[in-house]
Amino acid sequence: MFSNISVALLCIAPLVRAAPPDADGAGFNALILQVIQSMPREGGYSVASPASKLLSESIRLAPRNLSVEPARANPSYCSGATYLVFAGVCQWLIRDGDLALSDEALRALLVTGQRDGVGIWGRWNANGPGTARLFRELDLGKNFTDWNQARAGDFMKIFWNNEIGVKERGHSVVFLGTETEGGVEYVRFWSSNKPRGYGEKRVTRRSVSYAIFSRLETPGNLARAAGLPGRDAFLANMLTARFSQAEVREKCGM
């Protein structure tokens, strides 16, 4: 259904300046897709501690900006891959004069081993609706579950089972579209995927039990990052408790 959109956006030449939200309300999706094209390919998948250390080393402070070097983060894992895209978008916007962040806000974007629910990375990396909860707290854009609203370039949390929290099986990705082949509907996305790492993947739509989409619309609100509460108990408790879709909707403004 969205495959033609995703193909068109992926073929755009590299941007000279980061595009503002486009007329049809797709937010910064085109820029997200551009950043994906600059990401490494494959490199292996791992959730072991060395991969997290490499992720930390790949996002550093630069003068009044971030220095994002995704090639350092090999092997990788899903939430780290999508966070690198998010950080890359910030880097491009700051470079082009479309986003201004204080030193405190820039430091808040770094990956420093934060536990789930702690800081920006700890929210993004948490079980459950980590990215969606962060978007809600900082008012970065809208969260939704309606597949008919989804556009290529939306951040997406896939749940492979009906659990949210301690027993969930999930995947952090960037949505690329859906397509039908042989009467079967498939979902296309980009992330770090088992076993090869960075790249696109396609799964059947029916294999996705539940999905939350988050669309970046107001990155300027990252200026509030330094004032974000240090710990979000809702996400921190995902490590030990089970939650309902109703609770997720309430906490993520859906």
Side-chain angles (χ1 to χ4, degrees):
M1 178 164 49
F2 300 102
S3 55
N4 291 336
I5 294 174
S6 61
V7 170
L9 289 172
L10 288 169
C11 293
I12 296 173
L15 296 176
V16 176
R17 287 183 57 80
D22 52 32
D24 70 354
F28 291 83
N29 292 33
L31 178 55
I32 290 167
L33 294 171
Q34 288 281 345
V35 171
I36 285 174
Q37 290 302 291
S38 71
M39 291 291 290
R41 296 184 183 275
E42 300 190 350
Y45 182 97
S46 173
V47 294
S49 295
S52 292
K53 183 176 184 295
L54 292 170
L55 175 65
S56 298
E57 294 173 354
S58 70
I59 305 173
R60 299 186 178 188
L61 291 177
R64 296 180 296 280
N65 202 341
L66 295 174
S67 172
V68 184
E69 301 179 77
R72 286 177 172 264
N74 276 313
S76 57
Y77 50 92
C78 65
S79 56
T82 55
Y83 192 73
L84 279 167
V85 171
F86 180 67
V89 167
C90 294
Q91 181 187 39
W92 282 39
L93 290 173
I94 295 169
R95 180 200 67 190
D96 291 346
D98 295 312
L99 177 64
L101 297 179
S102 67
D103 290 343
E104 291 78 11
L106 288 169
R107 281 195 291 271
L109 288 164
L110 299 179
V111 176
T112 58
Q114 301 96 321
R115 293 181 60 83
D116 285 8
V118 176
I120 290 181
W121 163 245
R123 286 163 164 82
W124 193 283
N125 188 47
N127 281 0
T131 297
R133 176 63 178 158
L134 175 67
F135 272 44
R136 174 64 170 175
E137 286 186 282
L138 290 180
D139 193 20
L140 297 177
K142 70 177 180 180
N143 301 311
F144 56 96
T145 59
D146 183 355
W147 288 75
N148 292 322
Q149 296 182 39
R151 295 188 176 95
D154 288 336
F155 292 105
M156 179 186 188
K157 174 63 183 282
I158 292 174
F159 295 84
W160 302 118
N161 60 10
N162 291 321
E163 295 286 341
I164 300 172
V166 64
K167 294 187 176 183
E168 75 176 53
R169 291 177 54 245
H171 199 25
S172 173
V173 309
V174 176
F175 177 74
L176 296 180
T178 63
E179 56 197 15
T180 300
E181 183 179 307
V184 178
E185 187 176 14
Y186 293 90
V187 183
R188 292 177 47 244
F189 54 80
W190 179 95
S191 186
S192 177
N193 306 300
K194 295 179 181 179
R196 295 186 175 183
Y198 300 115
E200 291 189 25
K201 188 171 183 177
R202 186 178 81 159
V203 299
T204 61
R205 165 78 179 271
R206 66 182 299 176
S207 68
V208 177
S209 178
Y210 180 54
I212 301 172
F213 301 90
S214 299
R215 181 168 303 153
L216 183 63
E217 296 174 317
T218 50
N221 287 337
L222 280 167
R224 308 172 183 173
L228 192 68
R231 179 179 181 271
D232 183 79
F234 172 65
L235 292 179
N237 289 338
M238 291 277 169
L239 289 170
T240 56
R242 300 166 70 183
F243 293 85
S244 68
Q245 291 183 17
E247 290 172 296
V248 167
R249 288 193 296 271
E250 190 275 325
K251 289 290 188 179
C252 298
M254 294 185 291

